[in-house]
Amino acid sequence: MSEGKPGTRRDGPADEVRQFTIRADDDGVRLDRWFKRNLPRIGFATVSRWARTGQIRVDGKRAKPDDRLVAGQTLRVPPGGETGGKKPRERRDLTEEDIALARAMVIRETPSAIVLNKPPGLATQGGTKTKSHVDGLLDAFVENDEQPRPRLVHRLDKDTSGVLLVARTPGSAASYSKKFSGRSARKVYWALVVGVPSVREGTIDAPLAKQPGSGGEKMHVDEENGQSAKTRYRVIERAGTRAAWLELEPLTGRTHQLRVHCAAMGHPIVGDGKYGGQDAFLTGTISRKMHLHARRLIIGTPESAKSTGAGGKLDVIAPLPAHFAGSMTALGFDENASDASPMRDEAPERSPAEKKQAARRHAKQYRKARRGERRSRTTSAATTKAKNKKKDAARKPKPGPKGRP
């Protein structure tokens, strides 16, 4: 198969033996995971059976489901088997306007990613009442059935604008997701807030939890039961005591974290009525839209790490939306006053509380995974005990006439 086109057969349809060349994007992936990525309709049971009977070959040698593949290897796949598993996702029919919107958002393209500048008011993913969203526009970047559909690896709130990274392939999605979850990705946001913080630079450390009665749609500070949430901030400029321009860098990734932290500081983000109420709106020519923008993203790229081992970086800055830029001008702020430099160089060290919380989550998942196994063991033990009891009763001699054994 030609590298860069995942799932392309080098020869033969599904009813014949197929040969695949492992792409760089799948380098290091397990064999069973490769099938899930590239031939999702072939189930794990089929892959295991083929491996057990020697029908799957890697460079002519037998392979096991947990073997790691290497870029450039040739994978032999026997015919058939495409009846189980998930069906390939059908491509969405997009209008010319949808395609134009998707293309207009692009600010950078690399072999592993498409970087978008998401406009405010457009949701990242769909929901019950959300029909227009970024995820629904990603088919605009798929040119043919052999090309994988790009995948979201992080999200922005509907009313937040700015840098949104989309992975081109399953392999790059896994790589970028690890960087986001491992906190090595550095994100800098710009925000206009009501009033001016008394401390020009610092860290907001306020645990967050879902607010009761909000159906999970709203968060609040919860010192006792909340999840750890930390945000670095600094004041770039101020408009008297009326408003300030802040740079925010989330050190954790909680829902609505920046919005709740700014409101908790006593300086809600301009236009964020959800957390600031009426106090979040300024009079005059300042827009009532939310003024929170993902200005810059710095993240390691999978292709550079594999080709050089040096872990190169993708560094992208997203231009401000019209309403934000207009408010900056109205308040006398100069965009050139800051280059949105991160306030930290490396991923922050997890606190003891965060490590303990992660350990609890891991233990909970482990117990859940073992629950079914314990039940089966209990059932098996009870069944064995009943059988043994029945055998003992059968072997025990019956009593004879009175006074005789």
Side-chain angles (χ1 to χ4, degrees):
M1 104 182 166
S2 59
E3 190 166 322
K5 291 184 179 180
T8 304
R9 296 184 181 90
R10 196 168 71 184
D11 60 68
D15 58 353
E16 297 177 5
V17 172
R18 293 152 287 178
Q19 302 282 344
F20 296 87
T21 300
I22 304 304
R23 298 170 295 110
D25 188 59
D26 288 324
D27 184 51
V29 75
R30 283 170 50 123
L31 177 63
D32 53 358
R33 184 67 185 175
W34 184 93
F35 274 91
K36 190 172 183 180
R37 285 183 181 180
N38 298 284
L39 297 174
R41 296 194 67 187
I42 298 178
F44 178 77
T46 300
V47 174
S48 298
R49 176 169 53 81
W50 282 347
R52 190 171 59 252
T53 55
Q55 296 183 71
I56 294 178
R57 300 271 176 163
V58 176
D59 286 347
K61 298 178 181 179
R62 296 176 68 134
K64 296 181 293 185
D66 59 352
D67 284 349
R68 299 280 177 177
L69 299 174
V70 177
Q73 288 181 324
T74 299
L75 172 64
R76 176 195 185 277
V77 178
E82 297 188 358
T83 56
K86 296 180 180 179
K87 293 183 179 180
R89 183 186 182 280
E90 294 184 3
R91 291 180 59 183
R92 183 189 293 257
D93 291 328
L94 300 178
T95 64
E96 292 184 4
E97 291 78 9
D98 291 334
I99 296 173
L101 173 59
R103 292 292 178 183
M105 289 192 289
V106 177
I107 53 177
R108 183 80 62 84
E109 292 191 70
T110 73
S112 64
I114 303 169
V115 188
L116 309 177
N117 184 7
K118 188 186 84 65
L122 179 65
T124 302
Q125 290 180 295
T128 306
K129 297 181 181 180
T130 305
K131 303 302 179 185
S132 179
H133 46 85
V134 174
D135 190 42
L137 298 173
L138 296 184
D139 284 298
F141 304 107
V142 181
E143 298 178 358
N144 54 63
D145 292 337
E146 297 174 347
Q147 184 178 347
R149 186 177 188 274
R151 302 185 180 194
L152 294 167
V153 291
H154 68 126
R155 295 180 295 174
L156 293 177
D157 291 345
K158 180 178 180 179
D159 295 319
T160 301
S161 57
V163 179
L164 183 68
L165 186 145
V166 179
R168 287 188 180 276
T169 63
S172 58
S175 176
Y176 282 123
S177 294
K178 286 181 181 178
K179 289 177 173 59
F180 277 107
S181 62
R183 304 180 188 175
S184 63
R186 288 173 287 172
K187 298 174 284 183
V188 179
Y189 290 73
W190 279 4
L192 298 185
V193 299
V194 177
V196 182
S198 57
V199 179
R200 292 188 62 86
E201 184 172 346
T203 300
I204 306 168
D205 186 354
L208 302 180
K210 292 180 180 180
Q211 183 168 304
S214 66
E217 296 296 322
K218 194 172 182 180
M219 307 293 286
H220 74 135
V221 175
D222 187 340
E223 296 288 352
E224 293 185 2
N225 302 310
Q227 290 184 306
S228 175
K230 297 180 182 179
T231 302
R232 290 287 300 274
Y233 79 91
R234 62 183 164 206
V235 179
I236 305 302
E237 289 188 341
R238 54 187 291 174
T241 59
R242 186 185 184 198
W245 166 20
L246 302 187
E247 279 183 346
L248 304 165
E249 184 176 0
L251 304 184
T252 53
R254 308 304 176 200
T255 302
H256 299 173
Q257 177 176 315
L258 303 182
R259 298 165 64 182
V260 180
H261 276 178
C262 285
M265 228 186 357
H267 303 286
I269 295 173
V270 174
D272 187 10
K274 185 168 192 171
Y275 290 103
Q278 287 302 314
D279 293 338
F281 300 96
L282 298 178
T283 57
T285 60
I286 305 302
S287 171
R288 292 181 65 84
K289 291 182 179 180
M290 190 160 70
H291 291 68
L292 179 61
H293 179 72
R295 177 66 171 179
R296 187 176 183 181
L297 172 66
I298 303 174
I299 189 170
T301 58
E303 59 266 19
S304 59
K306 287 176 180 177
S307 61
T308 67
K313 302 290 183 182
L314 174 64
D315 189 343
V316 189
I317 289 179
L320 291 173
H323 80 278
F324 202 129
S327 296
M328 291 276 284
T329 301
L331 292 168
F333 297 148
D334 180 8
E335 284 188 41
N336 297 318
S338 174
D339 61 359
S341 296
M343 288 166 263
R344 63 180 175 89
D345 294 327
E346 301 296 337
E349 180 68 22
R350 288 190 175 188
S351 67
E354 289 176 307
K355 291 179 180 178
K356 189 174 181 181
Q357 202 169 59
R360 282 201 300 265
R361 286 197 298 269
H362 176 75
K364 184 177 180 181
Q365 291 173 351
Y366 178 78
R367 289 195 300 270
K368 187 176 181 181
R370 295 293 302 274
R371 194 174 298 152
E373 184 180 343
R374 289 199 304 269
R375 285 176 179 169
S376 63
R377 286 179 179 176
T378 302
T379 303
S380 178
T383 304
T384 303
K385 187 176 181 180
K387 287 182 178 179
N388 290 338
K389 190 175 181 180
K390 190 174 182 180
K391 288 180 180 178
D392 290 342
R395 287 197 297 264
K396 189 175 181 180
K398 295 182 180 180
K402 188 175 181 180
R404 295 182 182 179

